[in-house]
Amino acid sequence: MSFISIILLPFFVLVILLSAWVKGTDYFTDFTVGAKKGISAMAGILPSLIGLFAAITVFRASGAMDAVVAILAPLGKFLGIESPLIPLVLMRPVSGSASLTILQDITTTFGPDSNVGRAAAVMMGSTETVIYTLAVYMSGNGIKKAPGVMFSALMANLVSSLLACWLCS
């Protein structure tokens, strides 16, 4: 398998360079223009990302996450969401890396074949980091208002999370 990956990457780079050469494209200039656009786009979204990551870190480190999970546990039980899954339901719309950490904790504690482990895996596959994605998309494109988009996306995540819990129980 590693032999294939070692050969494929240089092969694709060579194919791209050869096709640009055959078409007479100035591929180096195109590459540098694209790199400049990428850097400027990253500079535009960096403040949003830093703020988002700082808020997530403070939320988890302060113990607020544990307090919110304790408050939401009865509602989660009523809806069919087991309490170890509540942090994942809360963090998945915000951060993919925080969600992966929670998923790792769940699979380490309960096992990947448990109901909780399966539901967590299905949640990760069927939900999106909505707030992160909207922050990056909107700040990168200069969009100030998008009425209804956040609510709709968060409701889709909630429905996906509920279905994951119900189908895996």
Side-chain angles (χ1 to χ4, degrees):
M1 188 65 161
S2 69
F3 176 74
I4 292 173
S5 62
I6 290 170
I7 297 299
L8 280 181
L9 184 62
F11 174 75
F12 282 121
V13 170
L14 184 63
V15 166
I16 290 168
L17 291 174
L18 284 174
S19 65
W21 180 69
V22 168
K23 291 180 181 180
T25 304
D26 185 6
Y27 49 87
F28 185 74
T29 302
D30 290 344
F31 173 77
T32 56
V33 168
K36 286 179 187 176
K37 286 182 181 179
I39 290 172
S40 66
M42 186 62 186
I45 65 172
L46 196 58
S48 299
L49 293 177
I50 291 172
L52 189 62
F53 291 143
I56 291 167
T57 303
V58 168
F59 183 66
R60 290 188 77 191
S62 69
M65 170 73 92
D66 297 331
V68 170
V69 168
I71 292 168
L72 292 177
L75 177 63
K77 185 175 182 179
F78 174 75
L79 294 173
I81 301 173
E82 296 186 45
S83 59
L85 295 171
I86 293 174
L88 184 59
V89 173
L90 293 174
M91 292 307 293
R92 182 63 177 151
V94 180
S95 170
S97 57
S99 300
L100 284 172
T101 302
I102 294 168
L103 176 67
Q104 181 182 9
D105 293 344
I106 289 171
T107 56
T108 301
T109 304
F110 299 98
D113 292 331
S114 66
N115 288 344
V116 174
R118 285 194 305 268
V122 172
M123 264 187 229
M124 285 295 290
S126 62
T127 57
E128 177 59 55
T129 53
V130 172
I131 296 171
Y132 170 80
T133 303
L134 285 177
V136 169
Y137 173 76
M138 290 175 71
S139 66
N141 291 303
I143 298 171
K144 301 282 186 226
K145 294 181 182 179
V149 173
M150 177 77 77
F151 177 77
S152 301
L154 289 173
M155 286 300 105
N157 263 18
L158 180 61
V159 169
S160 295
S161 297
L162 289 172
L163 285 173
C165 291
W166 294 340
L167 292 173
C168 293
S169 65

